[in-house]
Structure formats: C-alpha cells, structure tokens
Amino acid sequence: MNDSPRSGYQRSLRPWDAALVVVGGVIGGGIFLNPGIAAQRTDSGLALLLMWAGAGVLTLIGALCYAELGARRPHAGGSYVYLREAFGPLAGFLFGWTMLLVIYSGSTAAVATIFASYASAVFGLPPAMALPLSIGALVFVSGINLFGIRLGAQVQNLFALLKLLAVAMLVMCGLFLAGAGHGQVLAVDPARSGVGFIGAALPVLFAYSGFTYLNNLAGEVRDPQRTLPRALLLGMLLVIVAYVLVNVAYLAVLGHAGLAASHAPAADVMRQVFGRLGARLIALGVAISTLGFCNITLVAGARVLQVMGEDGLFFRSVARLHPRYRTPNTALLLLAGWAIVLALLVDYGQLLDYATFGDWLACAVGVATLFWYRRRDGAGTSFRVPGYPWLPLLFIGSVAWVVVMTARDNPRNAGIVTLIMLAGVPVHVVWRRLFSRASS
C-alpha cells in the first residue's frame, strides 16, 4: 500500500533511507564537541570509552523499544501518537506543545548555531555573520522539504553519507596517521584522579539523542513493520561504532589530558595531520553534519504538528498536506519559524539544556507506553523488544536518573522546561473548550 491509511502520506522511504534518517537524527555536532567535556569528567581513556559504549547500548535499548512501538503504530506522529493512545489527549498535547516550544525547535536552533560557527571558520567569515548563517540554514532546509519527502530524503541521504565520510576521515587520521604507535588510549589521567564517572553521562547522552525521529516519519516508510525495526537497529549500530572509534582516535592523538583540555578535538586532531587545511576540512564536515541534523529535526517535528492538527489538538491549517507533494508545509514552516525566533532570542547553552532535558524525558515516557500496548494488544506484532520488561525498565530508570541529575546540576533551566510543560495543561483545557473537536 503506497499511502499511509490515515493522513494520506506517501510511503516512499526505503530501508536505506530510513536507516540514514536514524544516522542523520543522531549524529549532529555532539561527537565533534562533547568528547572533550566528557573527558573532563572521567579519569582515564578506559572510563571515557566505557561511557560512550555504555550510553550507546542504553540508546540502542531505547531504539529497540521504539522499533516495537513503530511496528505497532506505523503512522505519522511517533511519540505523540503513543502518548495520546496510552495516556489520553492531554499527554499527547503536552508532548506536542513541548516539542514545538522547546525540544525540536530548541535543538534545531542550537545546532544551527553550531553550523554557523563552523561554516564561518571554513570560509573565514566575521563573527557578525553567525546569526544570518543560522537563519539561512533553517530557511534552506525548510525550503528543500516543501517539495516532497523523496527530494528531502535524497538530500538527507547526502548529508548523512557526507557526515559518515567526515567521521571516517577523522578516524583514519587519528588511528593511522597522527595516532600511530601511541599507547595512550586507555591510560589513566593522574590530573583527574577521583573525578568520578557520572557527570560524563549528560554530554554523552546528548550526542546520542535523536533516535526517535524516524518514528515520526513512520507514515512515509515502505513496509514499516519490517523496515522500522531494521532501520533503527542498523542506524544505531552505525552510530555506536562511529562514536567509539572517533573517541579512540581522539585519545590516540591527544591523550586523555589533551582531549580534556580541547574545545574542538576534531579540529585539533586534523590540524596535527594536515595543519590549517585539516582543521578547515573537518570544520566543513561538522557544518554538513549539523545542517543534516537540522533538516531531519524539522521534517520529523512537522509530522507531529500535522497529526495534532488532524486530531483537533492544534490549528486545523497545520493538518493540511500539499495536494501534490503530500508534505505538511504549514507545519514545517511554523516549526522552522519558531526555531528562528529561538535562535534570535536565546543563547546556545540555554537551548542545549532545554532541548536535552525535554527530549530525554519525552523518550522515557514514550518507552513507558510500551507496557500499555502490551497489555492491550498483547504480543502480536512483527517485532518485539527482547528482554521485555527488563530492558524497557532499565531504559526508563536510567533516563529518569539522567533527568534528576540534570535538574540537580542545573535547576534553573530544568525548572523553566518543567514550567513550559505544565503551562500546556491550561492551554489544552482552553483549546478543547474553544476550538477543538473531541479527538478519537
């Protein structure tokens, strides 16, 4: 069947397209920036690599849970649909409300800022160009996706392959050129003895976020019951291998102490191999990577808003699909417009904190819906997460711990996100009374 049964989307995403959506949704700027922060919060190369591998396994568990959810409900909307069905319209609305105001828009605006910084470095532009470049990037990726998911997927595939090429180049240079013969990958860093291990989880998990975006596009995936689980598994395995190898390359070239002192480890590695040219090459790779992340975030978020409009939980105009391209253009432009507003008004650090806190909280609640589906629909589906119920419980518990730690370390920003979520409750009540029809 070529059309999604409810919303009229065309199922044109093939398995490889879907896997690259996962790769593009996860690999943004985090792996090029956050390893240095994580190194500051660990005491050895071994501890750092264990953190990246462990976070990858945890994220893979979450991806397997979302694979079952996608197989059970292979329609557009992802977490919004799961929350609405399992916990009611209010839960679905709060997810969509927070997604629009903070999670997807905030992460897109933050990563567009990274794009602008690295693009400026590549072309030698003055700092004053950073903001116009951020806005231009958001306008560019929005414009591409106004003309159908097929064109958008082709551009996204190009972004994903180019970012994988940048990762491969970084690994090759680190392991076989600059880092050859260095026996310092697993070494202990005496300067950071007793620093602990827990604090590294936050920057590492941020780099792994985004694996849920494919589920938002499930209404446009061919043979979704088979494709979604395979794409999530393949995409996440590619990401985990890439992340661990990149960190090995950083440690081989810079050592743990050098990595902890670096604000741009990818550039520092490439500079040792090719000088200024190497730093510019990896800056171009980071710019492409971040542009691809912005692309898939806007595309995925627009599908959530479209389904909300269809349910009467948002403006009916955002539910409309373009008659020719079958894309939610109004929803896409709305989300991109709000991301531009955030880029203009909010600094990068705040955007990052808002998006990380909200995104992982939403992931945990989304996985919790799996228990409702199992009770209501039983085990009859094309894919079932192994180790149920222990693996979903492990994921929920681990993310809950991260959320609590985030709130403890940065109560102001966590409190702001919480207030934004809670503000959605009265908005939902007013909306249902004044504008909305009852959702099915």
Side-chain angles (χ1 to χ4, degrees), residues 321-399:
L321 299 181
H322 190 279
R324 176 181 176 185
Y325 300 115
R326 312 307 297 165
T327 48
N329 289 352
T330 302
L332 179 65
L333 293 174
L334 175 63
L335 183 59
W338 182 245
I340 289 172
V341 171
L342 292 180
L344 289 169
L345 299 179
V346 186
D347 67 61
Y348 170 78
Q350 287 179 302
L351 289 171
L352 207 61
D353 287 340
Y354 296 161
T356 304
F357 184 84
D359 191 25
W360 280 96
L361 181 60
C363 287
V365 179
V367 169
T369 65
L370 188 59
F371 296 94
W372 182 85
Y373 283 113
R374 285 282 187 118
R375 286 197 305 270
R376 199 192 80 159
D377 298 340
T381 184
S382 60
F383 178 83
R384 294 185 295 275
V385 61
Y388 179 89
W390 305 114
L391 287 186
L393 287 173
L394 174 63
F395 180 85
I396 293 169
S398 299
V399 173

Side-chain angles (χ1 to χ4, degrees), residues 100-167:
L100 171 62
L101 295 182
V102 175
I103 302 175
Y104 284 33
S105 56
S107 60
T108 305
V111 175
T113 302
I114 300 176
F115 164 80
S117 175
Y118 277 88
S120 297
V122 171
F123 298 106
L125 300 175
M129 288 298 298
L131 189 56
L133 281 172
S134 298
I135 296 172
L138 296 175
V139 172
F140 172 70
V141 296
S142 302
I144 289 172
N145 289 285
L146 296 176
F147 301 100
I149 191 64
R150 187 70 253 148
L151 174 62
Q154 290 170 351
V155 174
Q156 177 60 34
N157 289 353
L158 177 62
F159 285 150
L161 291 173
L162 287 174
K163 71 175 64 181
L164 287 175
L165 177 62
V167 167

